[in-house]
mmCIF file of all heavy atoms in Angstrom:
data_model
loop_
_atom_site.group_PDB
_atom_site.id
_atom_site.type_symbol
_atom_site.label_atom_id
_atom_site.label_comp_id
_atom_site.label_asym_id
_atom_site.label_seq_id
_atom_site.Cartn_x
_atom_site.Cartn_y
_atom_site.Cartn_z
ATOM 1 N N MET A 1298 -70.855 38.605 15.589
ATOM 2 C CA MET A 1298 -71.250 38.409 14.192
ATOM 3 C C MET A 1298 -72.769 38.291 14.085
ATOM 4 O O MET A 1298 -73.387 38.879 13.206
ATOM 5 C CB MET A 1298 -70.560 37.163 13.606
ATOM 6 C CG MET A 1298 -69.057 37.250 13.559
ATOM 7 S SD MET A 1298 -68.437 38.728 12.742
ATOM 8 C CE MET A 1298 -68.771 38.378 11.027
ATOM 9 N N HIS A 1304 -78.668 42.985 12.537
ATOM 10 C CA HIS A 1304 -78.736 44.432 12.297
ATOM 11 C C HIS A 1304 -78.945 44.727 10.803
ATOM 12 O O HIS A 1304 -79.855 45.451 10.414
ATOM 13 C CB HIS A 1304 -77.420 45.037 12.812
ATOM 14 C CG HIS A 1304 -77.182 46.487 12.512
ATOM 15 N ND1 HIS A 1304 -76.507 47.311 13.368
ATOM 16 C CD2 HIS A 1304 -77.481 47.264 11.438
ATOM 17 C CE1 HIS A 1304 -76.430 48.530 12.845
ATOM 18 N NE2 HIS A 1304 -77.011 48.522 11.671
ATOM 19 N N ASN A 1333 -75.209 50.682 17.575
ATOM 20 C CA ASN A 1333 -74.650 50.766 16.222
ATOM 21 C C ASN A 1333 -75.601 51.475 15.261
ATOM 22 O O ASN A 1333 -75.151 52.171 14.340
ATOM 23 C CB ASN A 1333 -74.268 49.374 15.709
ATOM 24 C CG ASN A 1333 -72.993 48.860 16.368
ATOM 25 O OD1 ASN A 1333 -72.160 49.657 16.811
ATOM 26 N ND2 ASN A 1333 -72.850 47.560 16.467
ATOM 27 N N LEU A 1334 -76.923 51.322 15.479
ATOM 28 C CA LEU A 1334 -77.886 52.078 14.655
ATOM 29 C C LEU A 1334 -77.764 53.570 14.975
ATOM 30 O O LEU A 1334 -77.877 54.412 14.083
ATOM 31 C CB LEU A 1334 -79.317 51.582 14.905
ATOM 32 C CG LEU A 1334 -79.678 50.223 14.253
ATOM 33 C CD1 LEU A 1334 -80.970 49.664 14.857
ATOM 34 C CD2 LEU A 1334 -79.840 50.357 12.737
ATOM 35 N N ARG A 1336 -75.048 55.153 15.698
ATOM 36 C CA ARG A 1336 -73.900 55.686 14.935
ATOM 37 C C ARG A 1336 -74.375 56.110 13.556
ATOM 38 O O ARG A 1336 -73.946 57.124 13.028
ATOM 39 C CB ARG A 1336 -72.868 54.586 14.671
ATOM 40 C CG ARG A 1336 -72.088 54.087 15.833
ATOM 41 C CD ARG A 1336 -71.129 53.057 15.233
ATOM 42 N NE ARG A 1336 -70.442 52.268 16.208
ATOM 43 C CZ ARG A 1336 -69.104 52.145 16.242
ATOM 44 N NH1 ARG A 1336 -68.350 52.769 15.368
ATOM 45 N NH2 ARG A 1336 -68.528 51.389 17.137
ATOM 46 N N GLN A 1337 -75.236 55.256 12.955
ATOM 47 C CA GLN A 1337 -75.707 55.555 11.593
ATOM 48 C C GLN A 1337 -76.655 56.763 11.589
ATOM 49 O O GLN A 1337 -76.620 57.567 10.671
ATOM 50 C CB GLN A 1337 -76.392 54.318 10.999
ATOM 51 C CG GLN A 1337 -75.408 53.177 10.761
ATOM 52 C CD GLN A 1337 -76.112 51.863 10.462
ATOM 53 O OE1 GLN A 1337 -76.739 51.254 11.329
ATOM 54 N NE2 GLN A 1337 -76.026 51.419 9.229
ATOM 55 N N LYS A 1340 -74.598 59.871 11.925
ATOM 56 C CA LYS A 1340 -73.897 60.173 10.677
ATOM 57 C C LYS A 1340 -74.844 60.657 9.583
ATOM 58 O O LYS A 1340 -74.419 61.141 8.547
ATOM 59 C CB LYS A 1340 -73.240 58.888 10.166
ATOM 60 C CG LYS A 1340 -71.778 58.867 10.379
ATOM 61 C CD LYS A 1340 -71.106 57.573 9.929
ATOM 62 C CE LYS A 1340 -71.994 56.495 9.386
ATOM 63 N NZ LYS A 1340 -71.328 55.205 9.234
ATOM 64 N N SER A 1404 -66.052 30.799 9.668
ATOM 65 C CA SER A 1404 -64.941 31.455 9.000
ATOM 66 C C SER A 1404 -63.982 30.443 8.395
ATOM 67 O O SER A 1404 -63.063 30.832 7.685
ATOM 68 C CB SER A 1404 -64.208 32.366 9.972
ATOM 69 O OG SER A 1404 -64.006 31.702 11.188
ATOM 70 N N HIS A 1425 -70.269 34.016 4.749
ATOM 71 C CA HIS A 1425 -69.253 34.490 5.685
ATOM 72 C C HIS A 1425 -69.191 36.017 5.659
ATOM 73 O O HIS A 1425 -68.662 36.613 4.718
ATOM 74 C CB HIS A 1425 -67.900 33.857 5.307
ATOM 75 C CG HIS A 1425 -66.778 34.209 6.214
ATOM 76 N ND1 HIS A 1425 -65.468 34.202 5.810
ATOM 77 C CD2 HIS A 1425 -66.758 34.581 7.517
ATOM 78 C CE1 HIS A 1425 -64.700 34.562 6.808
ATOM 79 N NE2 HIS A 1425 -65.456 34.800 7.857
ATOM 80 N N PHE A 1426 -69.772 36.629 6.689
ATOM 81 C CA PHE A 1426 -69.765 38.089 6.824
ATOM 82 C C PHE A 1426 -68.472 38.509 7.510
ATOM 83 O O PHE A 1426 -67.831 37.723 8.199
ATOM 84 C CB PHE A 1426 -70.955 38.540 7.685
ATOM 85 C CG PHE A 1426 -72.298 38.374 7.026
ATOM 86 C CD1 PHE A 1426 -72.949 37.152 7.015
ATOM 87 C CD2 PHE A 1426 -72.924 39.448 6.413
ATOM 88 C CE1 PHE A 1426 -74.193 37.001 6.414
ATOM 89 C CE2 PHE A 1426 -74.163 39.315 5.809
ATOM 90 C CZ PHE A 1426 -74.806 38.084 5.811
ATOM 91 N N MET A 1427 -68.098 39.777 7.355
ATOM 92 C CA MET A 1427 -66.881 40.305 7.973
ATOM 93 C C MET A 1427 -67.255 41.288 9.081
ATOM 94 O O MET A 1427 -68.268 41.991 8.975
ATOM 95 C CB MET A 1427 -66.023 41.049 6.929
ATOM 96 C CG MET A 1427 -65.616 40.216 5.747
ATOM 97 S SD MET A 1427 -64.417 38.932 6.163
ATOM 98 C CE MET A 1427 -65.167 37.542 5.347
ATOM 99 N N ASN A 1428 -66.412 41.389 10.063
ATOM 100 C CA ASN A 1428 -66.635 42.249 11.228
ATOM 101 C C ASN A 1428 -65.957 43.620 11.019
ATOM 102 O O ASN A 1428 -64.792 43.634 10.635
ATOM 103 C CB ASN A 1428 -66.021 41.533 12.440
ATOM 104 C CG ASN A 1428 -66.317 42.208 13.743
ATOM 105 O OD1 ASN A 1428 -67.281 42.960 13.870
ATOM 106 N ND2 ASN A 1428 -65.459 41.965 14.720
ATOM 107 N N PRO A 1429 -66.600 44.758 11.260
ATOM 108 C CA PRO A 1429 -67.983 44.947 11.707
ATOM 109 C C PRO A 1429 -68.983 44.801 10.554
ATOM 110 O O PRO A 1429 -68.841 45.471 9.517
ATOM 111 C CB PRO A 1429 -67.989 46.383 12.238
ATOM 112 C CG PRO A 1429 -66.817 47.063 11.603
ATOM 113 C CD PRO A 1429 -65.828 46.021 11.195
ATOM 114 N N VAL A 1430 -69.966 43.920 10.765
ATOM 115 C CA VAL A 1430 -70.878 43.545 9.676
ATOM 116 C C VAL A 1430 -71.599 44.745 9.048
ATOM 117 O O VAL A 1430 -71.711 44.813 7.830
ATOM 118 C CB VAL A 1430 -71.891 42.478 10.166
ATOM 119 C CG1 VAL A 1430 -72.792 42.042 9.021
ATOM 120 C CG2 VAL A 1430 -71.176 41.276 10.744
ATOM 121 N N PRO A 1431 -72.069 45.727 9.841
ATOM 122 C CA PRO A 1431 -72.771 46.840 9.181
ATOM 123 C C PRO A 1431 -71.877 47.667 8.256
ATOM 124 O O PRO A 1431 -72.373 48.387 7.395
ATOM 125 C CB PRO A 1431 -73.271 47.697 10.362
ATOM 126 C CG PRO A 1431 -73.264 46.776 11.535
ATOM 127 C CD PRO A 1431 -72.114 45.844 11.308
ATOM 128 N N VAL A 1432 -70.552 47.558 8.439
ATOM 129 C CA VAL A 1432 -69.634 48.403 7.669
ATOM 130 C C VAL A 1432 -69.008 47.660 6.477
ATOM 131 O O VAL A 1432 -68.833 48.233 5.406
ATOM 132 C CB VAL A 1432 -68.489 48.914 8.591
ATOM 133 C CG1 VAL A 1432 -67.475 49.741 7.816
ATOM 134 C CG2 VAL A 1432 -69.061 49.690 9.766
ATOM 135 N N MET A 1433 -68.660 46.398 6.679
ATOM 136 C CA MET A 1433 -67.857 45.694 5.674
ATOM 137 C C MET A 1433 -68.734 45.206 4.511
ATOM 138 O O MET A 1433 -69.787 44.604 4.733
ATOM 139 C CB MET A 1433 -67.135 44.489 6.310
ATOM 140 C CG MET A 1433 -66.271 44.848 7.509
ATOM 141 S SD MET A 1433 -64.930 45.982 7.144
ATOM 142 C CE MET A 1433 -63.746 44.860 6.437
ATOM 143 N N ASN A 1475 -59.757 33.816 4.945
ATOM 144 C CA ASN A 1475 -58.849 33.480 6.045
ATOM 145 C C ASN A 1475 -57.613 32.710 5.607
ATOM 146 O O ASN A 1475 -56.603 32.709 6.304
ATOM 147 C CB ASN A 1475 -59.610 32.726 7.133
ATOM 148 C CG ASN A 1475 -60.396 33.714 7.972
ATOM 149 O OD1 ASN A 1475 -59.864 34.752 8.352
ATOM 150 N ND2 ASN A 1475 -61.657 33.426 8.221
ATOM 151 N N LEU A 1478 -55.630 35.854 4.932
ATOM 152 C CA LEU A 1478 -55.478 36.761 6.082
ATOM 153 C C LEU A 1478 -54.682 36.123 7.235
ATOM 154 O O LEU A 1478 -53.782 36.754 7.798
ATOM 155 C CB LEU A 1478 -56.869 37.182 6.600
ATOM 156 C CG LEU A 1478 -56.888 38.011 7.873
ATOM 157 C CD1 LEU A 1478 -56.210 39.357 7.661
ATOM 158 C CD2 LEU A 1478 -58.326 38.218 8.371
ATOM 159 N N MET A 1479 -55.035 34.876 7.593
ATOM 160 C CA MET A 1479 -54.427 34.287 8.802
ATOM 161 C C MET A 1479 -52.926 34.030 8.677
ATOM 162 O O MET A 1479 -52.183 34.271 9.634
ATOM 163 C CB MET A 1479 -55.187 33.022 9.228
ATOM 164 C CG MET A 1479 -56.541 33.327 9.811
ATOM 165 S SD MET A 1479 -56.403 34.441 11.249
ATOM 166 C CE MET A 1479 -58.041 35.152 11.272
ATOM 167 N N PRO A 1510 -56.378 49.181 6.800
ATOM 168 C CA PRO A 1510 -56.965 50.074 7.811
ATOM 169 C C PRO A 1510 -56.462 49.774 9.223
ATOM 170 O O PRO A 1510 -56.384 50.669 10.066
ATOM 171 C CB PRO A 1510 -58.473 49.837 7.695
ATOM 172 C CG PRO A 1510 -58.636 48.593 6.905
ATOM 173 C CD PRO A 1510 -57.388 48.380 6.111
ATOM 174 N N MET A 1511 -56.156 48.516 9.487
ATOM 175 C CA MET A 1511 -55.573 48.130 10.787
ATOM 176 C C MET A 1511 -54.339 47.276 10.495
ATOM 177 O O MET A 1511 -54.364 46.491 9.530
ATOM 178 C CB MET A 1511 -56.538 47.207 11.552
ATOM 179 C CG MET A 1511 -57.689 47.871 12.214
ATOM 180 S SD MET A 1511 -58.713 46.571 12.972
ATOM 181 C CE MET A 1511 -59.852 47.594 13.866
ATOM 182 N N LEU A 1516 -55.440 43.919 14.262
ATOM 183 C CA LEU A 1516 -56.570 43.183 13.687
ATOM 184 C C LEU A 1516 -56.749 41.840 14.409
ATOM 185 O O LEU A 1516 -57.882 41.419 14.677
ATOM 186 C CB LEU A 1516 -56.352 42.977 12.179
ATOM 187 C CG LEU A 1516 -57.479 42.288 11.402
ATOM 188 C CD1 LEU A 1516 -58.808 43.030 11.564
ATOM 189 C CD2 LEU A 1516 -57.134 42.180 9.924
ATOM 190 N N TYR A 1519 -58.531 42.447 17.474
ATOM 191 C CA TYR A 1519 -59.923 42.805 17.170
ATOM 192 C C TYR A 1519 -60.750 41.553 16.841
ATOM 193 O O TYR A 1519 -61.879 41.385 17.324
ATOM 194 C CB TYR A 1519 -59.882 43.772 15.983
ATOM 195 C CG TYR A 1519 -61.199 44.302 15.493
ATOM 196 C CD1 TYR A 1519 -61.955 45.181 16.256
ATOM 197 C CD2 TYR A 1519 -61.676 43.957 14.228
ATOM 198 C CE1 TYR A 1519 -63.155 45.689 15.773
ATOM 199 C CE2 TYR A 1519 -62.860 44.459 13.745
ATOM 200 C CZ TYR A 1519 -63.600 45.324 14.534
ATOM 201 O OH TYR A 1519 -64.786 45.821 14.056
ATOM 202 N N ILE A 1520 -60.159 40.631 16.065
ATOM 203 C CA ILE A 1520 -60.851 39.383 15.698
ATOM 204 C C ILE A 1520 -60.966 38.471 16.922
ATOM 205 O O ILE A 1520 -61.975 37.783 17.105
ATOM 206 C CB ILE A 1520 -60.070 38.646 14.565
ATOM 207 C CG1 ILE A 1520 -60.132 39.451 13.265
ATOM 208 C CG2 ILE A 1520 -60.597 37.241 14.345
ATOM 209 C CD1 ILE A 1520 -59.170 38.948 12.177
ATOM 210 N N VAL A 1524 -59.899 33.037 18.179
ATOM 211 C CA VAL A 1524 -60.508 32.782 16.867
ATOM 212 C C VAL A 1524 -59.396 32.588 15.833
ATOM 213 O O VAL A 1524 -59.435 31.643 15.024
ATOM 214 C CB VAL A 1524 -61.443 33.950 16.455
ATOM 215 C CG1 VAL A 1524 -62.005 33.740 15.059
ATOM 216 C CG2 VAL A 1524 -62.574 34.120 17.470
ATOM 217 N N ILE A 1528 -58.788 29.128 13.634
ATOM 218 C CA ILE A 1528 -58.807 29.093 12.163
ATOM 219 C C ILE A 1528 -57.497 28.496 11.644
ATOM 220 O O ILE A 1528 -57.495 27.665 10.731
ATOM 221 C CB ILE A 1528 -59.057 30.504 11.589
ATOM 222 C CG1 ILE A 1528 -60.444 31.015 12.015
ATOM 223 C CG2 ILE A 1528 -58.933 30.511 10.062
ATOM 224 C CD1 ILE A 1528 -60.722 32.483 11.680
HETATM 225 N N1 LIG B 493 -71.776 49.356 13.231
HETATM 226 C C1 LIG B 493 -72.038 50.431 12.466
HETATM 227 N N2 LIG B 493 -71.078 51.301 12.068
HETATM 228 C C2 LIG B 493 -69.823 51.077 12.494
HETATM 229 C C3 LIG B 493 -69.469 49.988 13.305
HETATM 230 C C4 LIG B 493 -70.507 49.100 13.674
HETATM 231 N N3 LIG B 493 -70.267 48.024 14.427
HETATM 232 N N4 LIG B 493 -68.136 50.022 13.543
HETATM 233 C C5 LIG B 493 -67.649 51.113 12.903
HETATM 234 N N5 LIG B 493 -68.671 51.747 12.273
HETATM 235 C C6 LIG B 493 -68.557 52.914 11.398
HETATM 236 C C7 LIG B 493 -68.258 54.191 12.137
HETATM 237 O O1 LIG B 493 -69.427 54.848 12.563
HETATM 238 C C8 LIG B 493 -67.501 55.009 11.081
HETATM 239 O O2 LIG B 493 -68.385 55.591 10.144
HETATM 240 P P1 LIG B 493 -67.932 56.930 9.303
HETATM 241 O O3 LIG B 493 -66.555 56.700 8.780
HETATM 242 O O4 LIG B 493 -68.943 57.018 8.202
HETATM 243 O O5 LIG B 493 -68.005 58.020 10.300
HETATM 244 C C9 LIG B 493 -66.749 53.948 10.298
HETATM 245 O O6 LIG B 493 -67.424 52.709 10.547
HETATM 246 C C10 LIG B 493 -65.333 53.878 10.736
HETATM 247 O O7 LIG B 493 -65.319 53.648 12.146
HETATM 248 P P2 LIG B 493 -64.449 54.480 13.183
HETATM 249 O O8 LIG B 493 -64.359 55.903 12.750
HETATM 250 O O9 LIG B 493 -64.978 54.167 14.535
HETATM 251 O O10 LIG B 493 -63.018 53.812 13.162
HETATM 252 P P3 LIG B 493 -62.051 53.474 11.964
HETATM 253 O O11 LIG B 493 -62.031 54.519 10.907
HETATM 254 O O12 LIG B 493 -60.794 53.122 12.657
HETATM 255 O O13 LIG B 493 -62.676 52.161 11.311
HETATM 256 C C11 LIG B 493 -63.007 49.846 11.146
HETATM 257 C C12 LIG B 493 -62.989 51.037 12.066
HETATM 258 C C13 LIG B 493 -64.155 49.951 10.144
HETATM 259 C C14 LIG B 493 -63.202 48.631 12.027
HETATM 260 C C15 LIG B 493 -61.631 49.829 10.344
HETATM 261 O O14 LIG B 493 -60.565 49.933 11.222
HETATM 262 C C16 LIG B 493 -61.454 48.575 9.531
HETATM 263 O O15 LIG B 493 -61.961 48.454 8.430
HETATM 264 N N6 LIG B 493 -60.666 47.610 10.082
HETATM 265 C C17 LIG B 493 -60.434 46.350 9.433
HETATM 266 C C18 LIG B 493 -61.607 45.449 9.658
HETATM 267 C C19 LIG B 493 -61.401 44.105 9.071
HETATM 268 O O16 LIG B 493 -60.401 43.766 8.486
HETATM 269 N N7 LIG B 493 -62.426 43.244 9.247
HETATM 270 C C20 LIG B 493 -62.368 41.887 8.818
HETATM 271 C C21 LIG B 493 -61.905 41.057 9.955
HETATM 272 S S1 LIG B 493 -61.819 39.387 9.508
HETATM 273 C C22 LIG B 493 -63.381 38.833 9.741
HETATM 274 O O17 LIG B 493 -64.274 39.505 10.182
HETATM 275 C C23 LIG B 493 -63.653 37.472 9.352
HETATM 276 C C24 LIG B 493 -63.004 36.335 9.986
HETATM 277 O O18 LIG B 493 -63.384 35.241 9.630
HETATM 278 C C25 LIG B 493 -61.948 36.434 10.997
#
Side-chain angles (χ1 to χ4, degrees):
M1298 297 307 286
H1304 172 147
N1333 285 334
L1334 285 165
R1336 290 182 191 234
Q1337 293 168 290
K1340 255 178 358 192
S1404 45
H1425 182 206
F1426 290 82
M1427 302 291 133
N1428 187 22
V1430 183
V1432 177
M1433 304 298 280
N1475 281 315
L1478 174 64
M1479 288 302 157
M1511 283 177 172
L1516 183 56
Y1519 181 69
I1520 292 169
V1524 176
I1528 297 171

